[in-house]
Amino acid sequence: MLRTEKPAVIYLPKLPQSSKAGVNKKINSSVSLWQKGYVRSRLIQKCREQSISLVEVFAKDISRVCSQCGSIGEKTQDIFTCKTCGAKLSERENAARNVLARGIDGIIDITDAVETK
């Protein structure tokens, strides 16, 4: 995808830490950290290879906030509806617009700040 579409910037939501619920909390935690860390480090590496900026954005309520007016909306099935401005979008499109807006507002490039192992 990176070679085909050649984006200049990729915005990555900073997700909360995984829950440690389950039968064996130690194993669940280590596996989830490994998976997130591996995917993240590979993405950073590939972005560096292709000269693409990777920007991390604050992800809290990113799918609950209306991308047009900024108020809290409702999600029903896969549709986001804002009662304030009347916007109706797919849940993913609304979240993607919020990621882009937050990324443009506070650009912090993490490809230079984080070193791959």
Side-chain angles (χ1 to χ4, degrees), residues 35-52:
Q35 290 171 343
K36 282 183 184 178
Y38 177 75
V39 171
R40 182 184 174 95
S41 67
R42 292 291 292 164
L43 182 59
I44 291 170
Q45 178 186 352
K46 294 298 179 183
C47 285
R48 282 186 183 153
E49 290 172 2
Q50 301 294 320
S51 298
I52 298 170

Side-chain angles (χ1 to χ4, degrees), residues 19-111:
S19 68
K20 296 180 180 172
V23 177
N24 191 332
K25 294 178 184 179
K26 186 176 181 180
I27 292 174
N28 289 347
S29 178
S30 65
V31 169
S32 68
L33 289 174
W34 176 81
Q35 290 171 343
K36 282 183 184 178
Y38 177 75
V39 171
R40 182 184 174 95
S41 67
R42 292 291 292 164
L43 182 59
I44 291 170
Q45 178 186 352
K46 294 298 179 183
C47 285
R48 282 186 183 153
E49 290 172 2
Q50 301 294 320
S51 298
I52 298 170
S53 294
L54 186 62
V55 176
E56 193 170 49
V57 298
F58 183 63
K60 184 173 181 185
D61 292 332
I62 207 147
S63 63
R64 294 181 58 219
V65 174
C66 178
S67 60
Q68 293 182 10
C69 71
S71 61
I72 300 293
E74 293 180 355
K75 297 182 283 185
T76 308
Q77 294 174 340
D78 288 337
I79 303 296
F80 174 85
T81 307
C82 179
K83 290 188 174 185
T84 305
C85 70
K88 272 193 170 185
L89 302 163
S90 75
E91 184 179 348
R92 289 182 179 195
E93 182 180 351
N94 182 60
R97 288 181 181 195
N98 284 331
V99 169
L100 179 63
R102 289 181 186 185
I104 290 172
D105 286 347
I107 291 184
I108 300 171
D109 190 347
I110 65 170
T111 51

